[in-house]
């Protein structure tokens, strides 16, 4: 492991906007569970997560566009989170935080219906068949999200992967969920989508666009099943 990465890991321990809960203990209640907005952020704004946030491009972009709500980026890679956390502090974004954790652990850290929206931006599509359950829109992950996402909250997937987009829509069909909105080419249909879908461009998204790849988007409420 490089010295720079080690330095970032150490610095994360002292950054006020980085939370590293560690493996949850079943009998313990995480201190911010059910209290994120009121006690951690000190307001009553909505709580929006970005899962697999990397360096937090989308978390930061959403926070810059919306000063009244609260944004948390989640990733297991500490060196990536460090970059987003440092930028948030440097830019005075006090309504931004980062959690270093596997996504599977999140129901231990958030109370039922505590989260208002979930963004999943350019995740690893996990294209090998044996890794289907690792896809962040697989049925198992939807079950996780239902444990802490508001009854009116949306899961919003933005991806360059046609395979992941198709897989997600197949899962929705299987579970009897109707997408609230979807597009197989975000920038060709930007006027039909929420502005934050096309107004925020991540580092990797810029590369995909330069390669001529269309960007896909689907938003759905996992609670609303027929």
């Amino acid at each position: 492991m490089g010295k720079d990465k080690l330095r970032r890991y150490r610095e994360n321990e002292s950054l006020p906007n980085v939370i590293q809960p560690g493996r949850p203990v079943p009998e313990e209640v995480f201190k911010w569970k059910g209290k994120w907005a009121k006690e951690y952020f000190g307001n009553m704004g909505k709580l929006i997560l970005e899962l697999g946030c990397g360096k937090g491009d989308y978390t930061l972009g959403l926070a810059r566009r919306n000063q009244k709500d609260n944004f948390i980026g989640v990733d297991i890679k500490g060196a990536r989170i460090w970059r987003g956390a440092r930028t948030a502090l440097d830019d005075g974004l006090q309504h931004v935080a980062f959690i270093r954790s596997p996504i599977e652990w999140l129901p231990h850290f958030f109370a039922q219906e505590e989260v208002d929206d979930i963004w999943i931006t350019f995740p690893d599509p996990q294209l090998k068949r044996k890794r289907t359950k690792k896809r962040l829109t697989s049925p198992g992950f939807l079950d996780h999200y239902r444990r802490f996402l508001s009854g009116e909250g949306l899961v919003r997937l933005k991806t360059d992967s046609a395979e992941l987009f198709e897989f997600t829509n197949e899962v929705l069909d299987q579970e009897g969920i109707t997408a609230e909105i979807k597009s197989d080419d975000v920038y060709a249909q930007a006027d039909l989508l929420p502005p934050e879908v096309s107004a925020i461009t991540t580092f990797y998204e810029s590369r995909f666009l330069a390669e001529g790849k269309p960007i896909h988007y689907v938003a759905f409420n996992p609670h609303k099943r027929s």
Side-chain angles (χ1 to χ4, degrees), residues 138 148 169:
S138 66
F148 54 82
N169 286 297

Side-chain angles (χ1 to χ4, degrees), residues 121-128 135 137 157-169 183-184 208 213-218:
T121 57
F122 302 97
D124 185 337
Q126 306 285 357
L127 294 181
K128 292 183 179 178
R135 296 172 188 167
T137 52
L157 172 70
K158 190 176 177 185
T159 179
D160 66 300
S161 171
E163 294 86 351
L164 180 60
F165 181 66
E166 181 180 348
F167 168 81
T168 301
N169 286 297
S183 170
D184 58 7
F208 300 144
K213 288 186 176 181
I215 305 301
H216 315 293
Y217 173 79
V218 59

Side-chain angles (χ1 to χ4, degrees), residues 26-40:
E27 63 272 18
E28 293 182 359
V29 177
F30 183 66
K31 63 180 179 178
W32 302 119
K33 186 174 184 177
K35 306 173 184 177
W36 282 97
K38 185 176 181 179
E39 296 193 13
Y40 182 84

Side-chain angles (χ1 to χ4, degrees), residues 112-148:
Q112 185 176 3
E113 298 208 5
E114 185 171 18
V115 171
D116 293 280
D117 251 349
I118 293 172
W119 283 81
I120 305 172
T121 57
F122 302 97
D124 185 337
Q126 306 285 357
L127 294 181
K128 292 183 179 178
R129 183 173 295 275
K130 65 181 180 180
R131 297 188 65 81
T132 298
K133 292 182 179 179
K134 296 288 187 180
R135 296 172 188 167
L136 296 186
T137 52
S138 66
F141 276 103
L142 298 193
D143 285 340
H144 285 310
Y145 307 152
R146 291 184 186 105
R147 294 173 62 185
F148 54 82

Side-chain angles (χ1 to χ4, degrees), residues 23-90:
R23 183 179 292 275
V25 179
E27 63 272 18
E28 293 182 359
V29 177
F30 183 66
K31 63 180 179 178
W32 302 119
K33 186 174 184 177
K35 306 173 184 177
W36 282 97
K38 185 176 181 179
E39 296 193 13
Y40 182 84
F41 289 106
N43 60 53
M44 294 305 293
K46 292 181 179 180
L47 188 62
I48 294 121
L49 304 187
E50 183 194 3
L51 306 184
C53 68
K55 296 178 181 179
D57 290 348
Y58 232 87
T59 301
L60 296 168
L62 290 168
R64 290 187 180 107
R65 294 175 60 85
N66 180 351
Q67 299 291 324
K68 71 180 187 299
D69 293 327
N70 306 303
F71 299 87
I72 299 179
V74 180
D75 206 295
I76 193 59
K77 302 289 188 179
R80 294 177 184 174
I81 280 178
W82 172 88
R83 179 64 275 165
R86 281 262 37 124
T87 299
L89 291 174
D90 292 345

